[in-house]
Amino acid sequence: MKIQVRGNRLEVTEALQDYVEKKIGRLEKFFHDASGHAVHVTLSVLKAKDLHVVEVTLPFNGLVIRAEERSPDMYASIDAVSDKLETQIKKHKDKINKRMQQEGIHTLFKEVEAVPTPAANDDEDEIVRVKRFAIKPMPLDEAVMQMDLLGHDFFVFSNAETEEVNVVYKRKDGQLGLIEPTFA
């Protein structure tokens, strides 16, 4: 696994680089072949709140695992985000392996024992960021799992059953919702 560390308003020292590689590198034990995959780690400091933020994105064979942690200490944030990622992987690896085995696809995970908000414009809203991503067909339960892995409140996907773009989202009451388009 190749770990790419970058600092945002922070110089990444050799000690920080080594610590991130040690903590995030231990996640490699969960994957069969992670040698060609890059993990993106962003370290930043919110000086106004005296918080150290660590964001990790791990794209892997069509899945994206993401976690973010904030604390007053950078090393504590790195520890927490590493633990959070490990918990996410453990939580979802059985679901992923079961689905892939049912579909006759080799599993992605090894069998391992359990171990800035944009400022609002008063006159009109402005789009400050555009994201593009490939949408692959998947069943609803896989889309829910992917949303959980990303740590988002919604997920856009191509529904394998209807072959249409759908949005699954978490409602304020904690339940899930599904948006299916209808064209007039």
Side-chain angles (χ1 to χ4, degrees), residues 14-184:
E14 190 173 327
L16 274 175
Q17 176 82 29
D18 291 344
Y19 196 74
V20 168
E21 288 177 2
K22 175 185 165 197
K23 296 300 278 189
I24 302 301
R26 70 186 175 122
L27 299 175
E28 192 168 10
K29 69 184 177 188
F30 291 103
F31 302 97
H32 283 300
D33 180 25
S35 59
H37 299 282
V39 179
H40 305 281
V41 180
T42 303
L43 309 176
S44 57
V45 176
L46 301 176
K47 291 188 182 206
K49 297 181 181 180
D50 195 32
L51 289 176
H52 294 87
V53 182
V54 179
E55 300 173 49
V56 179
T57 304
L58 195 163
F60 190 83
N61 289 358
L63 296 174
V64 178
I65 303 169
R66 184 184 178 285
E68 177 181 322
E69 282 297 326
R70 299 165 181 238
S71 76
D73 178 64
M74 184 61 76
Y75 291 94
S77 294
I78 294 167
D79 290 342
V81 81
S82 176
D83 292 343
K84 189 176 200 177
L85 285 166
E86 187 169 340
T87 300
Q88 285 180 346
I89 292 169
K90 285 178 182 179
K91 177 181 173 186
H92 295 291
K93 86 173 179 67
D94 289 335
K95 286 183 184 180
I96 292 169
N97 283 340
K98 183 177 179 183
R99 169 160 303 287
M100 298 231 179
Q101 287 172 350
Q102 288 172 346
E103 295 174 1
I105 300 172
H106 296 291
T107 60
L108 298 175
F109 297 107
K110 288 181 183 176
E111 290 300 321
V112 177
E113 293 181 23
V115 193
T117 307
N121 186 338
D122 292 340
D123 299 326
E124 62 182 54
D125 290 331
E126 177 183 346
I127 296 176
V128 295
R129 185 173 181 184
V130 175
K131 282 188 168 185
R132 290 182 173 82
F133 59 96
I135 296 178
K136 72 172 192 164
M138 64 179 68
L140 178 59
D141 60 339
E142 186 176 336
V144 170
M145 179 184 59
Q146 183 67 50
M147 177 179 65
D148 289 340
L149 285 170
L150 289 169
H152 289 174
D153 293 331
F154 70 94
F155 185 72
V156 179
F157 69 104
S158 173
N159 191 323
E161 295 174 20
T162 64
E163 297 181 354
E164 292 185 351
V165 174
N166 288 179
V167 178
V168 64
Y169 64 96
K170 290 183 183 173
R171 298 167 38 100
K172 289 182 182 178
D173 64 5
Q175 300 294 316
L176 296 175
L178 178 67
I179 299 174
E180 295 178 322
T182 57
F183 299 98

